């Protein structure tokens, strides 16, 4: 569960947050970084989505699947600054990052 939350936070804050609203002083550098790393990032997104799918299969087969009433990934932040994690949230973040590359 901890790793899943770290991945969701990385997607939402470190990646998508910087893509959409980079620090003005570093905007050119940040955009260049994401452009140069596009292929590696897209591969990482695929890998993380595969991990989420595997987690869901294991959870559902063992009867420990976690559910959430949050249906929109934009509501991923929870009290205390933590990141709620679910496959829908990860999927939504990955899709938005892909859209950033190919609008």
């Amino acid at each position: 569960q901890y790793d899943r939350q770290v991945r969701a936070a990385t997607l939402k804050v470190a990646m998508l947050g910087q893509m959409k609203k980079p620090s003005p002083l570093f905007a050119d550098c940040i955009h260049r970084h994401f452009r140069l790393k596009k292929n590696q990032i897209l591969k990482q997104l695929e890998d993380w989505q595969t991990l989420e799918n595997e987690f869901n299969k294991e959870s559902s087969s063992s009867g420990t699947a976690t559910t959430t009433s949050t249906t929109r990934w934009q509501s991923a932040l929870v009290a205390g600054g933590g990141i709620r994690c679910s496959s829908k949230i990860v999927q939504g973040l990955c899709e938005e990052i892909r859209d950033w590359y190919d609008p």
Side-chain angles (χ1 to χ4, degrees):
Q1 186 65 20
Y2 174 78
D3 289 344
R4 293 178 70 225
Q5 288 177 316
V6 169
R7 282 192 293 270
T10 299
L11 289 167
K12 182 163 183 64
V13 178
M15 295 174 73
L16 190 57
Q18 290 299 312
M19 291 172 150
K20 292 176 96 177
K21 207 172 188 182
S23 169
L25 293 174
F26 299 103
D28 290 340
C29 181
I30 290 168
H31 284 139
R32 188 176 310 117
H33 166 79
F34 283 110
R35 195 174 56 251
L36 292 172
K37 297 290 185 180
K38 175 183 178 178
N39 293 332
Q40 291 102 329
I41 290 170
L42 294 175
K43 172 70 172 105
Q44 186 68 65
L45 297 179
E46 288 178 32
D47 293 347
W48 284 353
Q49 285 184 292
T50 299
L51 286 172
E52 279 297 314
N53 292 337
E54 290 171 2
F55 175 81
N56 288 336
K57 287 178 186 175
E58 291 172 12
S59 296
S60 62
S61 67
S62 67
T64 61
T66 57
T67 59
T68 178
S69 60
T70 304
T71 57
R72 294 181 49 87
W73 66 265
Q74 290 92 340
S75 301
L77 289 175
V78 296
I83 301 287
R84 185 185 320 270
C85 184
S86 76
S87 295
K88 288 181 182 180
I89 291 169
V90 170
Q91 179 71 28
L93 292 167
C94 289
E95 287 176 15
E96 185 155 352
I97 291 170
R98 284 190 191 95
D99 289 347
W100 186 85
Y101 281 120
D102 298 311

